[in-house]
Structures are given as structure tokens and as C-alpha cells.
Amino acid sequence: MRERKQNTDEPIKLYLQKIVEGYKDSLPEIWLGVDFTTFSGQKSLFGYQQEALQNALKALYLFYETDNGDKSKFYKRYKRHGLTEDLSYSGEKALKYLQDYPIEDEKVSFEHFINRMSFWMATGSGKTLVIVKLLELLGYLIQKKLIPEKDILFLTYREDLIEQFKRHVDEFNSARKSLYQINLITLKNHAESKQYSTSPYNQVLNVYYYRSDLISDKSKDKIVDYQQYNNDGNWYIILDEAHKGDKEESKRQILYSILSRNGFMFNFSATFTDKRDYTTCVYNFNL
């Protein structure tokens, strides 16, 4: 496991990577039904990209199969592996959005949002390929009823990155060697598409997408109110560099956690800013 250092002499502790790499038991065969090597007719994943997906799969197995999706049990894994830092949310601005959670000493425990993992991957390391293959993995695990069926939402902070993501999905779909065809739908059409939804059991996986910097607590033009898309917190959310943006960034990070509170959050970045993302880092390839 690679441990990086901040500006101090203290190394950054990547607890989730430590947890999954310390788990040496073999996963049941049914959990191993996705080929992590092939992306398209022209592209294959490098070893480190496959490792990222293997670590993600193991983390999902530990959370959903071993710990039965119990956040308290999963949080205790971190404690057993040495987590002592207080990662609670605090402050008037944060607690404003977390009134539905137990507030103790004017804090909300991070235990309630431990259902997440991050990928610390350098710029140019091909993380978009990993993201698309992660979508295929989620579709497979949902189909096999190994994880709960939830809607999937991809968020990134620029329009050109959305277009790049679409091109990768088109390439992935064109190969027709994958388990699923990924069908991209703008988040604004979520309610409408649910009326005519196609489940992953029919080899079509619906994935919603939007600009991460346009998620807010109000609605105006392209800005959407997260409460309109609350979905009872039943989202698998994939974030791509979603911490980039303006002074509203810390608020949006809380909103993403609320939207995925009953699902799972996957955060990809080359430059994390939140200590919670280091703690829940499942794979570090930040060269």
C-alpha cells in the first residue's frame, strides 16, 4: 500500500485500502463475474486500473455481504484498523443539512456516511476507464442481487468532462463484449425515465449524469435542488473531481453524502481536499 505525505511529516492514513488489502480470503465465485481486463476492442485496462476495481469489489463485499450493509459494523472495521481521528461533521452550516441524524456535542458522526470509498488516481491515469468499468460492476452486482438495486448517478464539474465521459461510454458500448449497454440519461429526466425504466436484468444499465457544481439547495436555471432528486437517498453516486469548484464546495460534499445515504458513494480524484476521502481511500495511484 502506498502512503503519501502531506506537508507535515505525518503520513496520510488510507484506512480502507489497508482493510481490503489485509483481507486475504477469496471472494465467492459469483462475486467474480466481471472481466476487469477488457474495456473495448481497442483498449484494455492496465494492472493498476484492475487493482483499483478489485479493491472496490472487495470493499463492496465486506460492506454488503460480510457486514450486511450495516454502517456501524463497517465503521468498527476502521476502528479495528486504527482509526482514531474525529471525522464528524460539525458547524452550523453542516448541521443545517444533517438535522435528520443524531447530533451529539454539536456534531454528526461520520459513521452515518461510512458507505463510501475514494480512488486517489493521478491525472492521466485513465480513471474514466475505471469509472465506466465500475458502472458495469455495479450493474452485475445488482443483477445478481449481491448489492441492493439503486439508481446510479455520475457527477463531474465541467461540461467537457461530461462529454469525455460520454465518449468513453460510447466506446465501451460499441465493443458489445460487455455485460451491459450503458444508457446515459440527464438527471433532469430522472422522474420521467423512471416511468419507462429498463432494469439491468435486460442488459441495459441506466446511468444518470449531471454537473456536480450545479447541485445545490435551490433551483435556478441549470442549478438543481438536491431535494428534488433525493430519491430517499437511494443513489450509487460516482464523483469525478467533484470537489473542484467554488466556495459552495463543502456544502455540496454534504449534499452528495445525503443523496447517497442509503446507497454508496465513489469519489475519484487526483487531488483530494477532505480528510474523509483519504480515510476511505480504497486505492492510491497518485503518482
Side-chain angles (χ1 to χ4, degrees), residues 84-253:
T84 58
E85 293 91 336
D86 184 2
L87 301 174
S88 301
Y89 291 101
S90 61
E92 183 178 344
K93 290 183 179 180
L95 298 183
K96 170 186 175 182
Y97 300 101
L98 300 173
Q99 294 296 321
D100 293 336
Y101 294 90
I103 299 176
E104 300 178 7
D105 299 325
E106 298 185 357
K107 296 178 180 180
V108 172
S109 173
F110 184 56
E111 176 181 331
H112 301 292
F113 301 100
I114 199 65
N115 51 323
R116 59 191 278 174
M117 69 178 76
S118 66
F119 301 76
W120 194 8
M121 300 187 72
T123 301
S125 62
K127 58 185 167 65
T128 307
L129 273 68
V130 177
I131 288 172
V132 175
K133 289 295 286 186
L134 176 62
L135 295 175
E136 181 184 23
L137 174 62
L138 291 176
Y140 171 81
L141 296 176
I142 290 171
Q143 182 191 36
K144 297 299 183 182
K145 303 186 185 303
L146 298 173
I147 64 174
E149 184 170 357
K150 314 278 183 184
D151 292 334
I152 302 173
L153 174 61
F154 170 80
L155 297 171
T156 192
Y157 75 110
R158 290 200 322 251
E159 205 65 44
D160 62 305
L161 295 176
I162 288 179
E163 293 306 313
Q164 175 182 291
F165 173 65
K166 288 180 178 179
R167 289 194 297 272
H168 278 84
V169 168
D170 286 344
E171 180 181 352
F172 175 82
N173 285 340
S174 66
R176 299 197 177 279
K177 294 181 180 179
S178 61
L179 297 172
Y180 304 100
Q181 293 285 292
I182 297 173
N183 179 39
L184 296 179
I185 306 169
T186 176
L187 179 62
K188 283 203 166 186
N189 291 341
H190 178 253
E192 178 185 352
S193 70
K194 293 294 285 184
Q195 299 178 25
Y196 311 99
S197 63
T198 304
S199 83
Y201 310 113
N202 293 324
Q203 282 67 55
V204 175
L205 181 67
N206 287 338
V207 174
Y208 299 90
Y209 67 90
Y210 210 65
R211 284 254 302 273
S212 57
D213 60 322
L214 298 178
I215 304 291
S216 186
D217 57 352
K218 58 188 176 184
S219 181
K220 181 182 178 181
D221 299 327
K222 291 183 178 181
I223 297 174
V224 299
D225 186 339
Y226 80 101
Q227 296 176 86
Q228 288 182 260
Y229 303 95
N230 182 37
N231 203 26
D232 293 324
N234 288 307
W235 286 104
Y236 292 124
I237 294 185
I238 292 95
L239 304 174
D240 180 19
E241 299 287 2
H243 64 280
K244 301 286 181 71
D246 52 28
K247 61 183 179 181
E248 297 280 287
E249 174 189 315
S250 60
K251 178 181 78 176
R252 286 196 300 268
Q253 291 295 323

